[in-house]
Amino acid sequence: MPEPPPPDAAAIAANLVAVRARIAAAARRAGRAPEDVALVAVCKTHPAEAVRHALAADQRRFGENRVQEAAAKFPALRVEYPDLRLHLIGGLQTNKARDAVRIADVIETLDRPRLADAIADAVQREGRMPTLLIEVNTGDEPQKSGVARGEADAFIAACRARFGDSLAGLMCIPPLGADPAPHFAWLAACAARHGLSVLSMGMSADFETAIAHGATHVRVGTAIFGARPQPAR
Ligand SMILES: *Cc1c(COP(=O)(O)O)cnc(C)c1O
């Protein structure tokens, strides 16, 4: 199968303008301020060149799902763009926790006690504390990362006690093909119960629905960078 050509600078800039306009419109429809919804541009599998095009179009927040890929792309870009923010959005192995803590500004996929241990240990060693989000497996899908719904309250409380305000919120990926709205509503209610302000939810296909349910961060890949050159997960 031939790979799709990488989108050029003009296409990425135009896509960003369009996605930002859709975010702003969805926020206004929900009675929210557009600037209260942050766009995380998901650039996994796309080359650093594509990230540069987005940076040139004033995008500063990016999402990667693999630590190794992020470590290869981002340290050099960060030297040029010190205000760049990197979110790790993929399931995280404990043996990658130290690299994750070293390079990420936000780790969105804290989902089990052993990973909390590994992150706490890495924070000690690296002297660096990223913002943390807990991923909830709102569909209770066996193959998916994220803490099960029934275990979420206890895990959130334990992480809050351990990490304090560095634990900022929750993240979810609704089951493929399901109506995402009840999943977004569940996550928003869970965050409210715990006084957590950050809600990372919504991707290219459903970010407007997520904003209607209170998303503060939407993670958008395809609508900005085009189809991915290879399957990412
Ligand atoms: C790939 C990915 C996205 C972006 O998905 P698109 O459908 O390309 O917008 C968002 N969140 C996570 C966790 C992802 O892995």
Side-chain angles (χ1 to χ4, degrees):
M1 280 258 292
E3 295 196 337
D8 61 15
I12 289 173
N15 290 344
L16 276 167
V17 168
V19 169
R20 287 179 190 132
R22 286 171 58 190
I23 289 171
R28 287 196 198 92
R29 279 197 301 275
R32 305 178 57 202
E35 57 271 23
D36 290 347
V37 183
L39 171 60
V40 180
V42 178
C43 54
K44 64 188 185 198
T45 77
H46 293 286
E49 207 51 37
V51 180
R52 278 182 194 287
H53 294 330
L55 284 160
D58 292 328
Q59 180 63 30
R60 288 294 180 273
R61 216 175 262 282
F62 294 91
E64 287 279 0
N65 69 341
R66 288 167 195 262
V67 175
Q68 258 170 314
E69 185 180 343
K73 269 188 233 172
F74 276 87
L77 295 168
R78 207 190 269 284
V79 174
E80 285 174 65
Y81 296 91
D83 58 343
L84 180 160
R85 291 290 173 265
L86 175 61
H87 291 229
L88 288 176
I89 62 174
L92 188 58
Q93 293 172 269
T94 50
N95 65 4
K96 299 274 167 49
R98 190 157 177 194
D99 290 334
V101 164
R102 186 183 302 130
I103 65 169
D105 299 290
V106 184
I107 296 175
E108 299 204 5
T109 51
L110 173 54
D111 66 354
R112 57 199 191 278
R114 283 198 54 222
L115 182 57
D117 292 344
I119 288 174
D121 184 59
V123 164
Q124 286 290 314
R125 290 164 184 264
E126 294 294 327
R128 189 170 191 278
M129 180 75 243
T131 294
L132 303 174
L133 307 185
I134 288 175
E135 179 181 2
V136 183
N137 184 357
T138 56
D140 287 331
E141 296 173 275
Q143 81 286 5
K144 219 176 225 176
S145 56
V147 61
R149 268 185 310 186
E151 292 162 19
D153 285 313
F155 185 61
I156 292 165
C159 288
R160 194 62 184 267
R162 183 169 202 172
F163 296 109
D165 289 342
S166 294
L167 177 70
L170 306 179
M171 176 269 217
C172 77
I173 310 169
L176 205 66
D179 175 6
H183 297 269
F184 296 153
W186 191 95
L187 200 73
C190 185
R193 226 167 27 241
H194 290 274
L196 295 169
S197 60
V198 174
L199 273 175
S200 172
M201 54 191 201
M203 321 201 324
S204 291
D206 56 16
F207 67 83
E208 283 136 324
T209 305
I211 290 167
H213 285 87
T216 62
H217 291 67
V218 293
R219 310 177 307 268
V220 179
T222 310
I224 296 169
F225 294 107
R228 281 180 280 277
Q230 66 212 30
R233 56 189 179 88

